[in-house]
Amino acid sequence: MVLSPRFKALATSLVLASSVWGQTGLAPKKFLSLPLGQVRSAGWLTDQLTIQINGLAGHEHEFYHYVSQSDWTGGSSAYSNLEEAGSYWFNAMIPSAVLLNHTVINQKTQDFLDYVLSHQDSTGWLGPEVGTTKPRYLWGRYPFFFGTIQMVENNPALTDRVVTALHKFVALANTMLKNNQGVEPWTATRWEDFVITLQWLYDFHPNGNEAILIDTMKRLKWTGVPWEQVFNPQFFPTKAVDNTPNPFPALTWHGVNMAEGLKALPATYRFTHNQSDIDAASKGWDLLFQYHGRPSGIYAADEYLAGLEAIRGTELCLVVANLKLCTPKETMFSGSYLYQVIGDPKFADRVERITYNALPATLTGDMWTRQYLQQQNQIAAKNMSPNPFPNDGAYSNVFGLEPNYPCCTVNHPQGWPKFVSNAFLTTPDQKSLVHLYLGPFSTSTTLASGNKVTSNVDTLYPFSDTLTTTITATAAFTYYVRIPSWVVGGTIAINGAAAKAVTPSNGLQAVQVAAGTTKFVLNLPAPITTESRPHGSIAVHRGPLHYAFDIPRSQKVLTRNAQESRAVDLEFDATASWQYAIDPATLKFVNKPPASGKLPSPVFDAGQPPVSITVTSCPINWSTAGDTFAAAPPTNPACTGSQRTITLSPFGATKLRIGEFPSFKST
Ligand SMILES: *[C@@H]1O[C@H](CO)[C@@H](O)[C@H](O)[C@H]1NC(C)=O
Ligand SMILES: *[C@@H]1O[C@H](CO)[C@@H](O)[C@H](O)[C@H]1NC(C)=O
Ligand SMILES: *[C@@H]1O[C@H](CO)[C@@H](O)[C@H](O)[C@H]1NC(C)=O
C-alpha cells in the first residue's frame, strides 16, 4: 500500500500510539480532512470566495489598523491584541488566498509566517511579546497555529521549519503550565484550540515528542474550563442567561467560547478515550440549539447565551467559530471537527444550514460590510434606542467596518474558505473519498494504494436540487456522498442508468466507482416545512434554505473610511410594511433557474436567488419596541386588512427581514 507522506505519518503515529502508549495514545478520528488546496470551490462558490477577497477581507491589510502591518511589530494598540487580530487574519487569509491562487495575499501570509518564525526567542516563545515586557499568555497564538498547519499542508516544503518551531514552543508551554503560568481567562476557555494543534503534531509530525504532547494536552484540559460540566444538562441554561448566576467562569456562557468549546469534548476524547466525552459533546450540541437555536441554523448569544426570542442577536464570529468575539463561523468550524471525530451527520446538516443562511445574512452582498450581531427578525440595522442587546452596544447590528468590536472584521473571512476545504474528507483507511458538504466543488487527491482521484461537482445547490458529479480514478473504490436529513424522495442515476431511490446509511450514500470516469446525478428534493418558534410563531424551510420576508429598505452611509472609500458603515431602514401573518397551508415553492445556467453575482442579495416561496398573508398589528426592533410576534393576531400573496426569500439574501411570523388561516 502506497501512502502519501501525510497519511504515512498518521499510520506511523497510530502504531506508536498502540504499541508505546496503548490507551494513552490518541483515539483515531472517524474521517480525515484533506490538505488545504486539494478541495477547491467551483461555480458559484468560487464566485463567493472571489467577492470576499475583492471585498473587505482581501483589502483590510491595506488600511485597517489592526492588520495593516505585514509583521507583528506594530506595538501595543488600545485593543492590546495586535497578536490576536494578526493571528486571526493569518488563519483566515491563508485558505482564502490559496483557494483563489491570490499572489499578493499568499505572499503576505508567507511574510507573516517568516517574520514570526524568525523572531522566535531562545525560550521558544512566538509572538509580539518577544523583546517586550508584555505578559505572556498562550492563547493569542492559537489561530496562528491553525494557519501554520494549513500552510504546511498546502506547501510541505515548510514542514521542517514550522514543525521545529512548534515543538520548541510546546516544550516552553509545557514548562509554563507546570509552573502555573500563561493561563488567563481566555486561555482557560479556549484551551481546545491548542490541543487540536498538538494533536496535529502527534498525528503527523510527532518527532519523538509523543509524551510531552499528550502531557501538554492533559495540562491544558486540567487548567481549563470543564466543558463536560458546562454542557451537562444539570447546569445548562435553558433561557437567556441575562440574570442567571453561572456556576462556572463567566466566559463559559459567552457565545463564541461555547462555539469553540463544542470542539473541546471531541478533542478531549482523543486523549481520554472516554466515550462519555463524545456523548457530552453530542448532547451539548443538542441542548445549545434546543434552547438558543435559530431557524438560520445558528444559536443566539449577544455576548452571552440569549434564548429563543427573535430580536436577540447572534455574533458573526459565532457563525464562523474562531475570534474572541465572533459565532456563526466558529460554529461552522467546530461542527466540521465534531463530524470528523464523531461521524454523526447531524453536525454536517447544521454546518451546511449555517453556511447557506446565517453567514451570508450578516454580510452585505458585496462583502464590504458586516454586522456584529444579526437578528432573526430585523426591521432596521442602525444605532438602536433602546438597545435590545444587554451586553452589546447600540451599534451592533449596523453593517460596517468594525461595528461594536473589531474582531469579526479580521475573523470573518475564514467562514467560506474553511467550509470549502472541509467539504471533502476521506475514510480513516483512505480508501474512500467522502463528499460531505453539498455545493459546487473540484477535488483532486491520492487515496490509498496510489489511487489518484478527482471529483467535480457541477450544481447550483443550495439554489437547485440537482448535483452532477464526475469522478475519475486510477482504481475502483467506494465513493460516499452525504444525503441531508431533510431530503424526501431523493434519487441517484449512475452513468446514465435510470434514477433509483437513494439509500443512505448514517447519512452517506455509497457509490461504487470503477477505474476511469464515473458520472452520477443526484436529485435531492425536500418538502417545505415549518418550525414552531416562541409566541406561536413559525419559521419556513425548504431543504438547506430558511426563507424570510425580505423587507424593502433604504440605505444611508453613516461613515466612510478616510483611506478606503469602499469601507463604509451602513444604516438600513424599512421602506414598506413588514407586519404580516402568514397561512402555512398556502406555502408554495417557486424555482426560476437562470437561463444562462449561472447564478447572479452576488447571489446573496435582495431578489437575486432563483428560488423563493410564496404565501398568503394578511396585515396585522405588530408593534415595535423603541422604533428600531420588532416586538415579539403577536400570538393569534387578527387581520387588519385584506389577504395578499407575499414572497419569502432565502434568509442569506435578506439584510432586513422577518424570519419568524405569526400564523393565521386564510379564507
Ligand atoms: C488555482 O490553481 C489550481 C492549481 O493550478 C487550479 O486547479 C485552480 O483552478 C486555480 N483556481 C483558481 C480559482 O484560479
Ligand atoms: C469518563 O468520564 C466520566 C465523566 O467525566 C467519568 O465519570 C469517568 O470516570 C471517566 N471514565 C474513565 C475510565 O476515566
Ligand atoms: C390595530 O391597531 C389600531 C391602532 O392602534 C387599532 O385601532 C385597531 O383596533 C387594532 N386592530 C386590531 C385588530 O387589534
Side-chain angles (χ1 to χ4, degrees), residues 252-301:
T252 55
W253 287 352
H254 183 271
V256 179
N257 289 327
M258 291 210 116
E260 298 203 330
L262 286 168
K263 58 188 179 318
L265 293 165
T268 304
Y269 162 74
R270 291 202 66 205
F271 62 85
T272 62
H273 300 261
N274 190 338
Q275 179 64 29
S276 89
D277 289 320
I278 293 285
D279 297 342
S282 181
K283 181 76 191 161
W285 177 267
D286 294 344
L287 289 171
L288 191 53
F289 293 102
Q290 177 181 355
Y291 293 111
H292 307 277
R294 289 288 178 268
S296 63
I298 193 63
Y299 58 96

Side-chain angles (χ1 to χ4, degrees), residues 92-434:
M93 293 318 291
I94 289 165
S96 301
V98 166
L99 294 179
L100 292 172
N101 306 328
H102 196 290
T103 319
V104 173
I105 294 177
N106 275 330
Q107 189 59 49
K108 286 254 160 217
T109 55
Q110 182 67 48
D111 291 348
F112 193 110
L113 178 78
D114 291 343
Y115 184 90
V116 175
L117 294 187
S118 64
H119 285 76
Q120 184 166 35
D121 77 5
S122 57
T123 67
W125 190 259
L126 289 162
E129 298 83 0
V130 168
T132 75
T133 55
K134 281 203 214 168
R136 296 184 165 193
Y137 299 119
L138 295 170
W139 93 266
R141 316 65 316 270
Y142 298 170
F144 169 76
F145 294 159
F146 285 153
T148 63
I149 291 173
Q150 297 176 82
M151 282 188 93
V152 166
E153 295 199 339
N154 183 242
N155 178 8
L158 295 170
T159 306
D160 283 349
R161 245 173 95 216
V162 169
V163 165
T164 304
L166 291 182
H167 279 295
K168 207 169 159 196
F169 184 85
V170 171
L172 171 67
N174 187 273
T175 307
M176 289 173 70
L177 291 166
K178 278 185 188 145
N179 297 332
N180 298 315
Q181 291 167 344
V183 181
E184 37 63 85
W186 289 99
T187 304
T189 309
R190 300 204 168 167
W191 53 267
E192 57 278 354
D193 285 355
F194 194 20
V195 168
I196 287 173
T197 300
L198 298 172
Q199 294 183 346
W200 178 81
L201 284 171
Y202 189 104
D203 287 342
F204 302 111
H205 307 286
N207 298 8
N209 295 323
E210 288 84 352
I212 194 172
L213 288 167
I214 297 270
D215 185 66
T216 311
M217 291 175 211
K218 290 183 177 164
R219 286 180 193 280
L220 285 163
K221 176 175 168 46
W222 301 122
T223 54
V225 163
W227 286 110
E228 68 282 4
Q229 292 300 320
V230 176
F231 286 110
N232 183 330
Q234 190 187 340
F235 304 112
F236 192 83
T238 56
K239 51 187 171 42
V241 299
D242 309 343
N243 301 307
T244 317
N246 187 342
F248 306 105
L251 286 175
T252 55
W253 287 352
H254 183 271
V256 179
N257 289 327
M258 291 210 116
E260 298 203 330
L262 286 168
K263 58 188 179 318
L265 293 165
T268 304
Y269 162 74
R270 291 202 66 205
F271 62 85
T272 62
H273 300 261
N274 190 338
Q275 179 64 29
S276 89
D277 289 320
I278 293 285
D279 297 342
S282 181
K283 181 76 191 161
W285 177 267
D286 294 344
L287 289 171
L288 191 53
F289 293 102
Q290 177 181 355
Y291 293 111
H292 307 277
R294 289 288 178 268
S296 63
I298 193 63
Y299 58 96
D302 31 35
E303 294 314 301
Y304 297 94
L305 289 179
L308 295 171
E309 293 291 339
I311 55 138
R312 293 294 294 267
T314 294
E315 200 186 321
L316 169 57
C317 296
L318 203 66
V319 177
V320 297
N322 223 326
L323 228 157
K324 180 160 164 193
L325 296 161
C326 273
T327 305
K329 60 188 178 293
E330 294 292 339
T331 311
M332 290 162 59
F333 184 52
S334 289
S336 291
Y337 181 75
L338 282 157
Y339 183 78
Q340 288 167 26
V341 176
I342 301 178
D344 186 329
K346 76 180 174 187
F347 300 116
D349 283 356
R350 188 169 288 281
V351 169
E352 204 174 278
R353 271 190 198 283
I354 295 171
T355 307
Y356 290 148
N357 297 283
L359 178 61
T362 203
L363 292 145
T364 42
D366 65 4
M367 296 177 97
W368 265 101
T369 72
R370 56 89 183 163
Q371 293 177 292
Y372 186 71
L373 296 177
Q374 65 172 290
Q375 297 163 289
Q376 181 65 35
N377 283 351
Q378 180 166 283
I379 61 165
K382 67 198 297 186
N383 212 347
M384 299 241 200
S385 173
N387 175 3
F389 314 120
N391 294 298
D392 279 315
Y395 206 68
S396 292
N397 84 348
V398 165
F399 285 80
L401 173 62
E402 50 173 10
N404 207 50
Y405 287 109
C407 57
C408 299
T409 305
V410 293
N411 191 21
H412 81 272
Q414 71 160 310
W416 286 106
K418 289 202 181 173
F419 176 74
V420 171
S421 49
N422 283 305
F424 279 75
L425 304 168
T426 71
T427 49
D429 62 8
Q430 302 131 45
K431 288 182 178 162
S432 288
L433 190 62
V434 180

